[in-house]
Amino acid sequence: MPASLSVVMPAYNVEAYIEAALDSLLSQHDLPDEILIIDDGSTDGTPGKLERYKSYDLIQVIRTENQGLGPARNLGLATSKGDFVYFFDSDDLLEPDFVTAMKKIIEERSPDIILFSGESFTEAGYESDFSPDYRRGFSAVYDQGVKAIRPLYDSGGLKASACLYLSRRELWPESGLSFPAIIHEDEAVFLPLLARAGRTVVDNRVYFRRRVRADSIMTSVPTQRHVTSAAQLVRALSMEFRNNVDKTAENALVWKERIRNQTMRYIRYAGQCRERPDLRLVLSVYKVTGQPRLLALALYTSLPLTIRRTLGTLIRKLRSNGATP
């Protein structure tokens, strides 16, 4: 019997985009077996837009209080019945043969996880230089997901977005993983999920189209929630590294780089929100990564704004005079 596929789509205040996203699912050459829309407490016209799709038997709308993207995905995962699950954002698009291609790979390879490529496109009327690349860089098959981590890192294709992979539904409870209630929740689960997966397929073909728009998580101005979420993410990745990663394996370098990058983001968010970084957290990361630059940046960000401005002016003057500060 062919494997079944569930699509989980969280939706929060996306009245301008939800119809295009759903239509890209309903225009598939082969339809998914079910589409679970988690209306995460929308306060705009999103619920009204969803009324149009009530007649579709494969669509189920679940309305909840606003909890965030991670809990909405977890609810969809727990409710889904398919053999495989795909997390799709409600403002993005899919190529029309996505479901057909995924089911063919499942039939031929029996994977735990399928990683594929995506492209970004900018919403009409929105000007931005932000245009992330979501290509994996190569196609391959591995008998264990952990073996794909270093090749993906080397190719620049170690992208964590949950919209860029399809997974066996039971892999989630088997691995004990779920999405945390933070911003950048997909970063917290991607490497652990991949490390626990069995057969893993990497397909470099583009199936996913990510919309770059105003007021999305990717383009929004950092808030206190961004700072708190980034700190929680750093703690989660550091704990996973300490407890479950072979420190002698080549993948240890990838983990250290991932933790370093997320710590840099945390420090940057803290600085933008005029908050002092948690130096104890940064020190614990330094012990993992061995990179003193993190400590230096955290200490600099902890300085009063007037002192940082003075130092910035001094550094610019030294550079203009050909000196190295």
Side-chain angles (χ1 to χ4, degrees):
M1 184 175 180
S4 55
L5 170 59
S6 298
V7 176
V8 173
M9 179 191 290
Y12 176 70
N13 288 355
V14 284
E15 61 177 336
Y17 313 105
I18 185 75
E19 291 174 302
L22 275 171
D23 287 347
S24 80
L25 279 173
L26 296 173
S27 299
Q28 291 288 307
H29 298 162
D30 292 297
L31 292 175
D33 295 273
E34 66 174 351
I35 300 171
L36 299 169
I37 305 169
I38 314 300
D39 183 359
D40 190 33
S42 294
T43 57
D44 67 349
T46 298
K49 297 287 187 180
L50 292 175
E51 287 292 318
R52 170 189 162 194
Y53 299 91
K54 274 190 170 181
S55 61
Y56 290 88
D57 292 336
L58 77 166
I59 293 179
Q60 179 182 355
V61 179
I62 303 172
R63 184 164 173 80
T64 68
E65 294 182 0
N66 181 248
Q67 301 179 71
L69 189 55
R73 284 179 176 155
N74 293 337
L75 175 58
L77 177 64
T79 308
S80 64
K81 298 179 177 63
D83 300 308
F84 286 78
V85 62
Y86 174 57
F87 301 104
F88 182 46
D89 285 349
S90 52
D91 55 353
D92 297 321
L93 304 173
L94 288 170
E95 290 297 291
D97 63 340
F98 170 75
V99 173
T100 303
M102 293 301 106
K103 287 197 171 185
K104 181 179 180 183
I105 292 173
I106 291 169
E107 181 180 355
E108 294 177 349
R109 300 292 187 178
S110 299
D112 269 357
I113 191 166
I114 305 170
L115 312 174
F116 47 85
S117 291
E119 288 182 346
S120 57
F121 69 97
T122 304
E123 180 185 8
Y126 177 63
E127 295 184 5
S128 174
D129 294 329
F130 182 63
S131 182
D133 177 23
Y134 295 110
R135 292 184 183 272
R136 298 296 183 185
F138 64 94
S139 298
V141 180
Y142 300 91
D143 61 350
Q144 293 178 299
V146 69
K147 294 179 181 178
I149 292 176
R150 185 56 190 262
L152 285 165
Y153 171 78
D154 290 340
S155 72
L158 198 63
K159 313 297 185 182
S161 170
C163 298
L164 290 168
Y165 59 85
L166 183 86
S167 53
R168 184 170 57 83
R169 182 171 58 87
E170 288 301 313
L171 177 61
W172 291 86
E174 289 171 4
S175 62
L177 293 170
S178 61
F179 291 97
I182 62 174
I183 300 172
H184 304 303
E185 74 296 323
D186 40 13
E187 287 282 356
V189 300
F190 178 60
L191 280 182
L193 186 71
L194 195 53
R196 290 161 172 76
R199 183 170 296 168
T200 297
V201 175
V202 181
D203 186 349
N204 194 41
R205 188 181 157 189
V206 172
Y207 294 102
F208 171 71
R209 309 281 178 182
R210 165 143 284 164
R211 186 189 304 268
V212 178
R213 61 178 178 88
D215 301 322
S216 71
I217 292 175
M218 296 187 299
T219 60
S220 59
V221 176
T223 63
Q224 175 59 45
R225 183 168 174 245
H226 286 79
V227 179
T228 303
S229 293
Q232 291 176 333
L233 175 57
V234 170
R235 292 189 184 97
L237 291 177
S238 298
M239 182 179 296
E240 176 73 17
F241 178 79
R242 286 193 296 268
N243 295 339
N244 297 314
V245 176
D246 182 356
K247 311 305 184 295
T248 64
E250 61 178 6
N251 283 338
L253 170 66
V254 181
W255 276 92
K256 289 180 180 181
E257 180 72 7
R258 208 73 165 191
I259 295 169
R260 184 194 75 87
N261 289 342
Q262 295 304 327
T263 305
M264 294 282 284
R265 173 151 58 183
Y266 161 63
I267 296 171
R268 184 175 72 251
Y269 282 164
Q272 290 173 319
C273 293
R274 298 189 180 183
E275 181 176 324
R276 292 185 177 183
D278 183 342
L279 294 181
R280 288 177 298 180
L281 174 60
V282 179
L283 179 60
S284 70
V285 172
Y286 166 70
K287 292 177 180 178
V288 170
T289 64
Q291 297 187 11
R293 184 185 175 193
L294 291 174
L295 284 174
L297 182 60
L299 288 169
Y300 172 79
T301 305
S302 299
L303 295 173
L305 183 60
T306 53
I307 295 178
R308 281 190 278 147
R309 285 174 174 169
T310 300
L311 286 174
T313 301
L314 177 60
I315 290 171
R316 285 192 294 273
K317 285 182 178 179
L318 289 172
R319 285 176 174 170
S320 66
N321 292 332
T324 303

